Amino acid sequence: MAVYFDHRVEAPDSSGAAVLISWHSSVCVLAVGSVNPSTGGCLDLYLQQGEHVELCHVERGFSPSLLQWHPTKPLLAVGWETGETMLLSHPSGELTPLPNNTYNACITVLEWSSNGSRLVTGDQAGVMAVWRVDARGKLQGSPLIKHDYSKPLTCCIFRPPPPAEDVAMLARAAVSGDESALDMFNWKKSNKGAAFALGSQEGLTFYISTADGSVYSVDEQARSVPLISVESKIQTMWYSKRRDVLAVVTDSLLLSQFSLGPEGIAQEISKVKLSGRGVQHADIVWTENGLLITASGEQHIRLWDVELDDHYALSLDESLGFEKGELLNCVSFCTSKQVLAAGTSRGRVALWHMVTVSDQKGDTKIHWKLQTPAEVEGNISQLQWGSSSHLLAVCSSSCVVILSEHVLCSHYSQQIAAVQLTPTQLSLANFNTNTHITFHTDTHIRAVQVTKDMVAVWNGKYITVYEPSGQTLHSTGSFQCESPALVVHEENIYTVEPNRVQIRTPQGTVKQLLAFSEAEGNPTQLSVCGSYLAVGTDTCHVRVFDLTRREAKAMGVTKNLSELIPDLGALRSVKCNASGSQLSVLIAQVNGRPDNKVYFYDIELDTLSHFDFFTGRPESSLAQSEDSQRTRCEGELAARCPVSQFWDENEPRLFVCETVPVNSDLLCSSQSQTEKEDVLVVTFFVTQEHGLLLQDSQPKPATLLSLLALDTPYYYYICKLLFRRGGLVLPDLGEGGDQVVSTPAAAPQVPSSPQMVVRRALRDFVGLESCEKQTRDAMLNFSFYLTIGDMDEAFKAIKLIKSEAVWENMAWMCVKSCRLDVARVCLGNMGNARAARALRNAEKEPEVEAQVAVLATQLGMLEDAERLYKSCGRFDLLNKFYQAAGQWQQAVETAETHDRIHLRTTYYSYAKHLEAMGDKNLALVYFEKSDTHRFEVPRMLMEDNLSLEIYINKMKDKDLYKWWGHYLESQSDMEAALHYYDLAQDYLSQVRVYCYLGNIQKASEIANETGNRAASYHVARQYEGQDEISQSVHFYTRAQAYNNAIRLCKENNLDEQLMNLALLSNPEDMMDTAMYYEEKGTHMDRAVMLYHKAGHVSKALELAFATEQFGALQLIAEDLNENSDPALLARCSDFFIKHAQYQKAVELLVAAKKYHEALQLCLDQSLTITEDLAESLTVPKDSSHLSEAGRKELLEKIADCCMRQGNYHLATKKYTQAGNKIKAMRALLKSGDTDKIVFFAGVSRQKEIYVMAANYLQSLDWRNDPEIMKNIIGFYTKGRALDLLAGFYEACAEVEIDDYQNYEKAYGALTEACKCLTKAKGRSGDEADSKLLILTHKLGLVKRFIQARRMHEEDPVEAVRVCESLLEEKDLDPAVRVGDVYGFLVEHYCHHGNFQQAWSKIEDLRSTRPNINLSLYVSQTSLEALQNAAGVRLVYRDTDTHAAEDDEEVEEDENINH
């Protein structure tokens, strides 16, 4: 945590009360303007600790009005109330006044441009001037611009400069050929555009406001134009560069925003009245991101976010030391630290730290955290943060104070701890004597070091040495020293200076020098542990010195860590262990960011190792045994960074460090010790043999500030400061502390010696804090061996320890490491039989974590048990755990989210708990949630009848109404009971009560209206008792108690009602009633029906046959099936045959398995065999009634019957089931279903069937259906009927010749026929040979005719000769039609004009075929030409005659095929 040192400025005697303060933006120089009523005003400059700069003192007889520093140079512009303006140079004190007669009124405006080349001045008379200042800070002559606005000027701001051109981007564009980019680099082409600036340009346009609310825009050309106007005087202005928006605030706190266009036109976009008092001197501050902060003498600071249009207020907290009614006068915001400072009327400086928090959605929200205040004297009127973010200037009514932020000093050594409380106050704690004291030093404390005999304090210039003297300290010496590092060991003080370490006596005498070379650098880090000194230099060299002798002796060589660690920027911390063998280092990277690793340098082995907190694991070479606890710790350590480190004061193996998340503000904040959140304290064992061993990881207690030291068996922590009042600090000790924190109401009761350091035991030493050294060493060894997984050595380390606390502590460690085998031994040594039994019973759980959780519960480690149950997902056991621990809210939440199977049980248990605790109202709620309120709530409220009745009426639950009705009935309150029975719709209870009261009529009405069976039964019993039989039977019937109704009917001979009741009742009652009718010998039809309904069919049939009830027989027969008695079925079938009901008889014969008789009956009586009947006649394959042969015979008979009846498809099915596919195919052929024939042939795969199918398909129109032709060819081929296939090909050839005269295709078909006959030659013998000879002869004739037609064009004479020779063949037709040959010759002669010869051929054709149709063979053109040449009209045959001839030919073809 940080404190603020207060440095009062060393003001000259002539100066009066300060009225103005101003820090330079980059140099630590503060300007203070003051007013002395007797001498006038003066101006002084001070350094950061308040030292007065003698040369920079200016006095005038009037007051200063305004101060403004140059943005970069140590040059101050000063305005006075008389109008005098000057420039003061630091540190020379040179004054440069502005020309005389420039101003005559009070200066109200002083504003520098962004780089300081322009200065704008203005006065209360409205005169504005702009001055040029050169690079040396000298004023250049007369003003560049001067303008009189005739109204007081109030404020001025420069418009930020536009962004500079990106030279690299322009260069890339120019290289790629961009002309505009090339022109910008070419200064000769300046006429094409303005040359760009290599760097940022200075914005010289500014806005200036007047007292009447007007704002003017002034550009570089001295043009002043009105821009905006508001209602009252403008107090401050702010320009948003991102949005091009100008915001102004008036003295009445009216905020107006204006959007500025490119042509200088302003448009108002919003106007808001800010909260607060509108006073003239309200302090208003703008932040860079548009946050407006105002302090106007109220108890609040008001903030307005201009960008987000959001506003809120910050107030003081009395618990931090502020007083009630304290007013806030002024504010100042530090952008680099994100800290808002405010001065109060009681002399306190309130500090708010701004924290930006992002939620899961990515939205950011700003939180302001109020810090402990700093205090000065008087009423604070002004605040301003300095150029260094740790400096804050405070101007109060009595003085000017420079507050310098400083991190609290602290140190621990040899059971002595020192912690700084205030700039001059220390808290010392001696843990050996358990005493602590607080003492004040004479100087500010910047560093402190303690030993058991000495306290050394450094204030930055001097070291003062104190020694204990009773309950106080006294100074034994002081000497000058400006060493930035300081440590103490025994009687020696170690300081640094360039290139060496000085070893001094307490009086400051240098005893020894430890020199470092130029290459090794200047020592900057010093640390002592045990008797060893670790030194780190600014060049990242480290070295360790042995201090056990009279003179310090170096160990090893100076090591340059830059050679071992990449990106090493600087050393942040260097520490060594108690034996001087290990060195731990925290570093900063080259970019200034802290490294995520902690490095360990082994001095003896000269090796470097590290642990990476970003990944949560050591380097790969330093592996250690894995277990669930260590894996969990490493997961927690991921994405973290170490911020401090410590070695154990006595144990050289034990190392501890504090870590924070990587993105934490603590890494870059100067307040590195304040308000640490989410800090983990990580402990390691570091040895040469095993490297880095992660021993433990635990969060820092929230009530403590930071870790101070590690000294087994304790961690030592610094307490958080609660608040500061009157110079005393009240710490928050948290748990384990006994300090009483006073409240403002009890301010005088402040402890004089607050305890600032508390200690917390290490995990392994809880309960062993006061153990002796032997036990402590044994426990350390045990913890070490347990960490490396060597359980044998771990047992050896503690086997001689008899302390039950040690074994209990080891059992706790077994919980952490999940070692149940060790835990059993520990429990045995502890004698904890209950825990041992619980652990043995827990072995049935499959998860190890669940078993360990049981152990943790028995040992009282409830948090660990909870964590273990959660880690293994055993939320049912976690639920029970919460219940046993009395954590009912957690139990309910767990059941609702993870263990819903036990949700109602949990609700019930919680309700029982609440009932036991007396909270009946809440118990009611959870009884209802558990759905047990119907019996638990009446039980719980039984003694409070009024509350119970109110609850029942409120719930309106039928069960509760019924219960309450029973209770009232037991109390003989029948009327009220009837009312609640009615609400509960409990009709039985109503009827029962009415019957008890003798009102059976009302009971009957209720039973009739509701139809409730129980109520009706009760009424029926009442009527039966009164011998009202009809009513009793009626209500027994409504109650469906048919056996009672039947009993009454039989006893009272009510036969008419008996039949209906028996039919409504069960089979037993039906049988009993049927026997009753049979015995009486009347209503035998009813007896038969009841026997039948009761399922006693045989008895019903016997009785029906005996009494010849044929109608009843038909009804009974409908219910007969194959499961009925075969003899009974046969008897019934005979009965139906006798009465000509053959269809029913057949069904019964089939049911009786008499298939042949049933089939014969169908044949004899010509009954149509339907598909259902055929299926019922079909015997299953595995039937025992018929053999397989008999089954097939039966199927064939069924199929034969179907054939006779014309049901070919069903016949096909039965033939197929009988295995006779040939007959099945024949039946299918008769059906004429081509698709099924083709399908059946395809699936049968029998030659005969293929041939039958092909023969059938030839009877169809295969000439016009290619698919049929394809199937014919395929079936003949598959059936190996090559001779038939050849005949089909021959028929195809005839069709091609007769229908299309296509001899080429005919020739192809004949060729295929020849191939088929050739293949069939060996099977058919001589018959095939004769067919082949005939077919070959036909093929030759066709071929000769085709050749004649083809050679006609080339050799017509030869073609004619071939045709003539064909005509001489005796068997030319039908191979080649004679008409086609004659027609070819006629066409030839007509074509050559030899009509005489053509006529001759026609005559020859007519003589051969008298009835031939010439138009079929000779073209119409040739015939007409022949008629014209011969002068004779040819007579053709008509079409009908030709059609008849064709039909004859077709019939002939069919006969041939068949």
Side-chain angles (χ1 to χ4, degrees):
M1 186 173 180
V3 296
Y4 284 89
F5 291 172
D6 52 335
H7 303 281
R8 295 186 62 154
V9 298
E10 300 171 358
D13 296 335
S14 59
S15 64
V19 293
L20 298 173
I21 59 174
S22 178
W23 279 105
H24 192 280
S25 61
S26 58
V27 182
C28 293
V29 179
L30 174 68
V32 178
S34 58
V35 177
N36 191 327
S38 60
T39 61
C42 66
L43 174 69
D44 295 281
L45 300 186
Y46 301 93
L47 301 181
Q48 61 181 352
Q49 292 191 9
E51 304 98 327
H52 183 242
V53 182
E54 298 291 343
L55 297 178
C56 298
H57 176 71
V58 181
E59 292 188 7
R60 292 289 186 272
F62 35 83
S63 300
S65 62
L66 207 57
L67 304 176
Q68 191 70 38
W69 282 99
H70 189 281
T72 57
K73 302 182 183 303
L75 186 65
L76 176 68
V78 186
W80 303 83
E81 63 180 3
T82 60
E84 181 181 355
T85 308
M86 63 181 66
L87 300 181
L88 174 63
S89 180
H90 172 269
S92 63
E94 179 182 354
L95 285 175
T96 305
L98 267 65
N100 293 330
N101 302 322
T102 303
Y103 296 106
N104 296 317
C106 179
I107 299 298
T108 56
V109 171
L110 283 178
E111 188 70 24
W112 293 92
S113 62
S114 58
N115 66 0
S117 65
R118 299 287 189 275
L119 173 64
V120 178
T121 59
D123 66 356
Q124 204 163 8
V127 178
M128 181 272 296
V130 180
W131 309 85
R132 183 194 297 272
V133 180
D134 63 12
R136 297 175 298 168
K138 302 297 183 180
L139 195 66
Q140 300 295 308
S142 59
L144 298 176
I145 303 171
K146 188 172 184 181
H147 191 82
D148 188 358
Y149 292 98
S150 302
K151 295 180 181 63
L153 303 177
T154 57
C155 56
C156 172
I157 61 169
F158 274 85
R159 181 167 180 164
E165 300 286 351
D166 191 333
V167 179
M169 185 179 295
L170 283 175
R172 287 194 294 268
V175 171
S176 62
D178 190 335
E179 291 294 336
S180 60
L182 287 170
D183 291 343
M184 295 187 73
F185 277 104
N186 190 352
W187 62 273
K188 294 181 180 180
K189 296 185 178 182
S190 58
N191 57 337
K192 293 188 177 181
F196 72 94
L198 297 177
S200 62
Q201 295 181 349
E202 183 179 19
L204 300 180
T205 300
F206 60 90
Y207 307 105
I208 191 165
S209 63
T210 59
D212 62 350
S214 299
V215 177
Y216 297 87
S217 174
V218 184
D219 60 13
E220 299 178 45
Q221 286 74 30
R223 291 176 299 187
S224 175
V225 295
L227 188 65
I228 60 174
S229 178
V230 293
E231 298 174 357
S232 57
K233 178 182 175 182
I234 295 176
Q235 193 167 350
T236 182
M237 293 189 294
W238 175 73
Y239 182 82
S240 173
K241 184 177 179 180
R242 184 177 64 86
R243 297 191 303 154
D244 284 334
V245 169
L246 179 66
V248 299
V249 180
T250 66
D251 56 1
S252 60
L253 296 184
L254 183 67
L255 170 63
S256 301
Q257 297 186 61
F258 298 87
S259 176
L260 303 183
E263 299 180 357
I265 301 175
Q267 182 177 1
E268 187 176 57
I269 57 177
S270 70
K271 181 184 291 186
V272 180
K273 179 64 172 70
L274 302 179
S275 302
R277 295 185 302 174
V279 297
Q280 185 177 2
H281 298 292
D283 197 8
I284 301 177
V285 174
W286 290 94
T287 66
E288 293 180 356
N289 55 359
L291 189 63
L292 176 65
I293 308 172
T294 63
S296 53
E298 298 178 296
Q299 296 182 25
H300 306 281
I301 289 179
R302 305 186 184 275
L303 299 93
W304 186 280
D305 194 325
V306 177
E307 301 280 345
L308 302 178
D309 195 23
D310 186 21
H311 62 91
Y312 47 92
L314 303 178
S315 58
L316 302 177
D317 186 355
E318 295 182 28
S319 66
L320 291 177
F322 296 97
E323 298 180 14
K324 187 175 182 179
E326 202 163 354
L327 304 180
L328 295 160
N329 299 327
C330 51
V331 291
S332 180
F333 183 75
C334 180
T335 304
S336 60
K337 295 175 58 175
Q338 300 288 288
V339 173
L340 173 63
T344 74
S345 58
R346 307 289 174 85
R348 294 184 178 86
V349 179
L351 300 169
W352 284 273
H353 181 57
M354 186 173 74
V355 181
T356 303
V357 180
S358 298
D359 57 16
Q360 296 178 349
K361 299 179 180 179
D363 300 331
T364 59
K365 190 174 182 180
I366 294 177
H367 294 279
W368 295 89
K369 192 166 187 179
L370 183 61
Q371 312 291 319
T372 305
E375 296 185 359
V376 297
E377 297 178 2
N379 181 13
I380 300 175
S381 59
Q382 291 186 65
L383 286 176
Q384 188 176 10
W385 288 99
S387 56
S388 175
S389 59
H390 68 275
L391 297 176
L392 178 65
V394 180
C395 177
S396 68
S397 57
S398 59
C399 62
V400 175
V401 178
I402 298 176
L403 297 180
S404 176
E405 184 184 23
H406 171 68
V407 177
L408 286 175
C409 301
S410 59
H411 185 243
Y412 172 89
S413 178
Q414 300 173 337
Q415 296 291 305
I416 307 294
V419 178
Q420 182 181 8
L421 302 179
T422 68
T424 60
Q425 190 177 18
L426 276 178
S427 172
L428 289 177
N430 188 331
F431 291 97
N432 286 323
T433 61
N434 198 22
T435 60
H436 63 273
I437 60 175
T438 302
F439 82 101
H440 291 266
T441 62
D442 299 330
T443 60
H444 285 157
I445 303 171
R446 294 192 175 272
V448 61
Q449 289 283 307
V450 297
T451 65
K452 62 182 178 180
D453 300 320
M454 178 173 58
V455 177
V457 175
W458 179 63
N459 68 352
K461 294 182 179 180
Y462 290 89
I463 294 177
T464 304
V465 179
Y466 298 88
E467 291 183 356
S469 176
Q471 288 297 316
T472 184
L473 300 176
H474 67 274
S475 176
T476 59
S478 177
F479 56 90
Q480 184 176 1
C481 180
E482 297 184 0
S483 168
L486 169 70
V487 294
V488 177
H489 178 255
E490 294 182 351
E491 297 295 328
N492 296 327
I493 300 175
Y494 298 83
T495 61
V496 299
E497 62 180 16
N499 296 111
R500 57 188 178 180
V501 176
Q502 300 168 325
I503 304 178
R504 299 172 179 263
T505 64
Q507 292 74 32
T509 305
V510 178
K511 296 169 53 179
Q512 184 182 356
L513 294 176
L514 307 177
F516 289 81
S517 65
E518 290 291 336
E520 293 172 345
N522 300 318
T524 57
Q525 301 281 341
L526 296 180
S527 173
V528 170
C529 184
S531 297
Y532 296 89
L533 170 68
V535 182
T537 70
D538 55 3
T539 59
C540 303
H541 287 69
V542 294
R543 196 165 191 179
V544 176
F545 295 89
D546 184 358
L547 308 181
T548 57
R549 305 177 184 181
R550 190 174 67 86
E551 292 187 351
K553 180 181 179 180
M555 298 178 61
V557 297
T558 304
K559 192 65 178 179
N560 183 7
L561 297 182
S562 300
E563 300 175 353
L564 304 176
I565 304 175
D567 295 330
L568 173 56
L571 302 179
R572 289 197 291 139
S573 174
V574 177
K575 299 287 182 72
C576 66
N577 66 350
S579 64
S581 60
Q582 295 281 348
L583 199 65
S584 62
V585 181
L586 302 181
I587 70 167
Q589 298 175 347
V590 176
N591 58 10
R593 292 286 297 178
D595 198 348
N596 300 102
K597 304 180 183 68
V598 55
Y599 294 89
F600 297 90
Y601 176 63
D602 191 309
I603 298 172
E604 298 175 0
L605 300 180
D606 192 22
T607 57
L608 184 73
S609 58
H610 70 264
F611 187 94
D612 190 348
F613 283 97
F614 190 79
T615 60
R617 298 185 62 83
E619 58 182 325
S620 58
S621 62
L622 302 173
Q624 66 186 96
S625 59
E626 296 289 339
D627 56 42
S628 58
Q629 173 72 7
R630 185 168 296 108
T631 303
R632 180 185 65 82
C633 289
E634 291 175 352
E636 293 176 352
L637 297 180
R640 306 186 73 84
C641 180
V643 293
S644 64
Q645 59 170 351
F646 303 93
W647 288 92
D648 190 281
E649 290 282 315
N650 301 294
E651 173 56 50
R653 297 174 296 179
L654 205 56
F655 172 82
V656 66
C657 64
E658 285 184 297
T659 66
V660 297
V662 171
N663 56 358
S664 173
D665 292 337
L666 302 178
L667 298 180
C668 54
S669 172
S670 62
Q671 299 182 20
S672 59
Q673 301 295 323
T674 63
E675 303 301 332
K676 291 187 179 179
E677 302 295 340
D678 193 19
V679 179
L680 279 183
V681 178
V682 187
T683 309
F684 295 91
F685 279 112
V686 184
T687 63
Q688 291 182 351
E689 297 82 5
H690 301 92
L692 306 182
L693 301 172
L694 179 60
Q695 193 265 344
D696 189 22
S697 170
Q698 58 181 333
K700 175 184 68 62
T703 57
L704 303 179
L705 180 65
S706 63
L707 185 65
L708 176 63
L710 171 63
D711 192 359
T712 307
Y714 293 108
Y715 296 112
Y716 289 82
Y717 288 100
I718 302 175
C719 297
K720 283 185 179 179
L721 300 182
L722 184 61
F723 65 85
R724 187 181 285 109
R725 182 187 298 274
L728 285 179
V729 179
L730 298 181
D732 181 5
L733 296 181
E735 57 182 80
D738 53 1
Q739 181 68 48
V740 178
V741 178
S742 64
T743 62
Q749 309 294 327
V750 179
S752 59
S753 301
Q755 174 69 41
M756 285 300 299
V757 178
V758 295
R759 52 189 184 180
R760 297 284 183 265
L762 275 73
R763 182 194 67 185
D764 303 343
F765 287 89
V766 175
L768 299 174
E769 294 87 346
S770 303
C771 63
E772 65 277 6
K773 185 178 185 304
Q774 180 183 2
T775 302
R776 183 165 63 247
D777 293 341
M779 284 304 300
L780 278 173
N781 290 331
F782 171 77
S783 179
F784 171 72
Y785 289 125
L786 195 64
T787 302
I788 65 175
D790 192 343
M791 296 305 299
D792 295 334
E793 291 296 329
F795 275 113
K796 289 180 183 178
I798 60 167
K799 65 180 180 179
L800 299 179
I801 297 178
K802 303 300 182 183
S803 171
E804 182 178 327
V806 174
W807 288 105
E808 182 178 5
N809 185 62
M810 187 176 15
W812 290 353
M813 294 175 65
C814 293
V815 172
K816 299 291 185 182
S817 59
C818 296
R819 292 297 303 269
L820 294 177
D821 52 345
V822 181
R824 295 185 185 94
V825 178
C826 296
L827 295 176
N829 284 279
M830 292 167 57
N832 193 338
R834 184 182 64 180
R837 181 176 182 273
L839 184 59
R840 184 170 61 251
N841 293 335
E843 291 177 354
K844 63 182 180 180
E845 302 296 342
E847 300 86 358
V848 176
E849 292 86 350
Q851 301 177 30
V852 178
V854 173
L855 173 63
T857 304
Q858 295 295 324
L859 296 175
M861 304 171 67
L862 302 184
E863 293 182 0
D864 292 271
E866 179 182 358
R867 174 182 55 79
L868 288 165
Y869 281 134
K870 289 180 179 178
S871 65
C872 66
R874 290 301 301 272
F875 294 101
D876 54 336
L877 298 179
L878 180 63
N879 187 359
K880 294 180 180 178
F881 168 78
Y882 282 142
Q883 294 182 33
Q887 301 178 22
W888 287 100
Q889 289 301 326
Q890 291 90 327
V892 170
E893 291 175 4
T894 301
E896 290 175 343
T897 54
H898 301 290
D899 188 28
R900 296 192 65 84
I901 194 171
H902 296 117
L903 180 59
R904 288 180 57 190
T905 306
T906 305
Y907 285 151
Y908 180 75
S909 301
Y910 187 29
K912 296 288 287 184
H913 168 75
L914 291 170
E915 181 185 358
M917 299 300 294
D919 191 353
K920 294 185 178 181
N921 292 330
L922 191 56
L924 286 176
V925 176
Y926 283 94
F927 276 134
E928 291 171 7
K929 288 185 176 182
S930 66
D931 200 26
T932 58
H933 60 285
R934 294 175 181 86
F935 49 88
E936 289 292 345
V937 172
R939 176 194 55 76
M940 182 175 66
L941 300 179
M942 194 63 205
E943 297 178 357
D944 188 358
N945 290 341
L946 181 60
S947 298
L948 179 57
E949 184 175 5
I950 294 173
Y951 175 79
I952 290 172
N953 291 327
K954 172 187 171 184
M955 292 302 295
K956 298 180 180 180
D957 186 273
K958 292 182 180 179
D959 292 333
L960 290 175
Y961 283 145
K962 182 177 178 179
W963 186 93
W964 187 242
H966 286 328
Y967 173 76
L968 293 174
E969 184 181 353
S970 68
Q971 301 297 316
S972 300
D973 190 354
M974 298 301 179
E975 292 297 327
L978 284 172
H979 171 68
Y980 281 99
Y981 286 146
D982 182 41
L983 293 176
Q985 297 181 2
D986 186 1
Y987 306 114
L988 173 61
S989 297
Q990 294 182 57
V991 165
R992 180 170 46 76
V993 172
Y994 278 121
C995 290
Y996 172 77
L997 296 175
N999 192 353
I1000 193 171
Q1001 184 63 33
K1002 181 64 175 178
S1004 301
E1005 292 176 2
I1006 293 174
N1008 282 323
E1009 290 174 0
T1010 62
N1012 185 268
R1013 293 172 59 186
S1016 298
Y1017 185 83
H1018 188 83
V1019 172
R1021 290 292 301 273
Q1022 295 294 321
Y1023 276 121
E1024 185 180 357
Q1026 297 178 11
D1027 290 331
E1028 296 186 19
I1029 304 303
S1030 60
Q1031 288 290 341
S1032 179
V1033 169
H1034 167 72
F1035 282 104
Y1036 275 135
T1037 304
R1038 290 186 65 84
Q1040 298 182 14
Y1042 301 114
N1043 55 348
N1044 287 295
I1046 290 171
R1047 173 179 55 79
L1048 288 179
C1049 288
K1050 287 195 294 185
E1051 290 174 357
N1052 296 277
N1053 297 319
L1054 300 176
D1055 293 348
E1056 296 300 327
Q1057 297 183 34
L1058 184 59
M1059 180 64 182
N1060 294 331
L1061 291 173
L1063 290 175
L1064 292 174
S1065 188
N1066 52 43
E1068 290 79 5
D1069 290 336
M1070 292 182 187
M1071 289 284 293
D1072 187 55
T1073 304
M1075 292 171 63
Y1076 169 77
Y1077 280 127
E1078 187 178 3
E1079 289 174 0
K1080 289 188 69 175
T1082 59
H1083 304 295
M1084 301 303 290
D1085 55 338
R1086 297 180 182 179
V1088 171
M1089 182 182 297
L1090 289 175
Y1091 277 130
H1092 179 208
K1093 291 290 185 181
H1096 206 327
V1097 181
S1098 59
K1099 181 66 175 177
L1101 284 173
E1102 288 179 4
L1103 190 58
F1105 281 123
T1107 57
E1108 297 184 351
Q1109 298 182 35
F1110 302 118
L1113 278 173
Q1114 290 186 357
L1115 293 175
I1116 296 172
E1118 291 178 358
D1119 294 339
L1120 296 176
N1121 52 38
E1122 59 183 6
N1123 296 323
S1124 303
D1125 185 10
L1128 188 61
L1129 291 171
R1131 186 176 178 184
C1132 289
S1133 64
D1134 293 340
F1135 169 77
F1136 285 116
I1137 292 172
K1138 187 182 297 182
H1139 290 81
Q1141 296 188 15
Y1142 304 112
Q1143 190 70 33
K1144 191 64 179 175
V1146 168
E1147 294 176 2
L1148 292 175
L1149 288 172
V1150 170
K1153 304 294 189 296
K1154 296 186 178 183
Y1155 303 107
H1156 291 283
E1157 291 84 346
L1159 184 59
Q1160 189 61 44
L1161 182 59
C1162 291
L1163 292 173
D1164 295 342
Q1165 303 300 330
S1166 300
L1167 296 179
T1168 301
I1169 298 180
T1170 62
E1171 188 167 358
D1172 292 338
L1173 180 57
E1175 290 300 324
S1176 64
L1177 288 169
T1178 302
V1179 182
K1181 287 186 177 182
D1182 55 351
S1183 175
S1184 60
H1185 296 87
L1186 284 176
S1187 63
E1188 185 64 22
R1191 176 179 174 276
K1192 291 182 178 181
E1193 180 184 359
L1194 177 60
L1195 287 171
E1196 288 197 12
K1197 286 183 178 181
I1198 296 172
D1200 292 340
C1201 186
C1202 291
M1203 285 290 288
R1204 294 190 191 97
Q1205 296 178 359
N1207 194 346
Y1208 301 115
H1209 286 95
L1210 189 56
T1212 302
K1213 182 177 180 181
K1214 296 304 166 185
Y1215 278 133
T1216 304
Q1217 291 177 348
N1220 195 337
K1221 293 185 178 181
I1222 301 298
K1223 285 188 176 183
M1225 188 62 179
R1226 288 174 181 168
L1228 197 56
L1229 290 174
K1230 286 192 175 185
S1231 70
D1233 192 338
T1234 304
D1235 293 338
K1236 290 187 176 180
I1237 291 171
V1238 172
F1239 174 77
F1240 187 77
V1243 298
S1244 297
R1245 298 187 179 183
Q1246 292 186 11
K1247 296 179 182 180
E1248 296 83 354
I1249 293 177
Y1250 281 134
V1251 173
M1252 292 169 67
N1255 291 339
Y1256 166 77
L1257 293 175
Q1258 278 200 72
S1259 65
L1260 305 179
D1261 187 13
W1262 54 268
R1263 300 170 182 81
N1264 297 320
D1265 193 341
E1267 188 66 27
I1268 295 177
M1269 182 182 295
K1270 178 181 176 183
N1271 285 329
I1272 293 172
I1273 296 172
F1275 287 158
Y1276 277 138
T1277 303
K1278 293 177 181 178
R1280 308 283 179 87
L1282 299 178
D1283 51 346
L1284 297 177
L1285 181 57
F1288 177 68
Y1289 278 127
E1290 192 174 356
C1292 290
E1294 291 177 1
V1295 170
E1296 293 295 337
I1297 292 172
D1298 293 340
D1299 292 352
Y1300 307 106
Q1301 298 180 8
N1302 192 338
Y1303 283 91
E1304 285 79 4
K1305 286 189 176 180
Y1307 180 78
L1310 291 174
T1311 303
E1312 292 296 328
C1314 289
K1315 291 180 181 178
C1316 292
L1317 287 177
T1318 302
K1319 293 179 181 178
K1321 182 178 179 181
R1323 303 175 189 171
S1324 303
D1326 296 338
E1327 184 181 354
D1329 291 341
S1330 60
K1331 286 185 179 181
L1332 182 58
L1333 289 175
I1334 295 171
L1335 193 57
T1336 304
H1337 179 66
K1338 283 185 178 182
L1339 189 61
L1341 295 175
V1342 173
K1343 183 177 181 181
R1344 287 168 60 190
F1345 182 65
I1346 293 172
Q1347 289 176 348
R1349 292 171 66 177
R1350 290 178 178 174
M1351 70 175 65
H1352 177 263
E1353 291 185 3
E1354 297 178 359
D1355 191 358
V1357 176
E1358 180 62 24
V1360 171
R1361 188 192 64 78
V1362 172
C1363 288
E1364 292 290 351
S1365 65
L1366 284 174
L1367 291 174
E1368 295 174 358
E1369 295 287 343
K1370 294 180 179 180
D1371 51 355
L1372 177 61
D1373 206 350
V1376 178
R1377 294 192 303 184
V1378 176
D1380 289 333
V1381 179
Y1382 278 107
F1384 177 77
L1385 292 174
V1386 171
E1387 290 285 347
H1388 167 72
Y1389 290 127
C1390 289
H1391 181 69
H1392 290 84
N1394 192 351
F1395 296 103
Q1396 184 65 34
Q1397 189 68 26
W1399 182 261
S1400 172
K1401 292 301 179 183
I1402 287 178
E1403 289 297 331
D1404 293 341
L1405 176 58
R1406 282 183 170 179
S1407 62
T1408 307
R1409 298 289 176 88
N1411 296 325
I1412 197 168
N1413 186 356
L1414 293 177
S1415 62
L1416 296 176
Y1417 305 102
V1418 182
S1419 64
Q1420 188 67 25
T1421 305
S1422 299
L1423 288 175
E1424 290 177 358
L1426 186 57
Q1427 289 179 115
N1428 295 335
V1432 179
R1433 181 69 177 176
L1434 295 174
V1435 180
Y1436 315 125
R1437 282 199 56 196
D1438 53 42
T1439 306
D1440 294 338
T1441 307
H1442 177 67
E1445 183 181 332
D1446 290 343
D1447 291 341
E1448 292 174 2
E1449 292 177 0
V1450 172
E1451 291 174 3
E1452 184 181 9
D1453 291 340
E1454 292 177 355
N1455 294 330
I1456 291 173
N1457 292 333
H1458 284 60

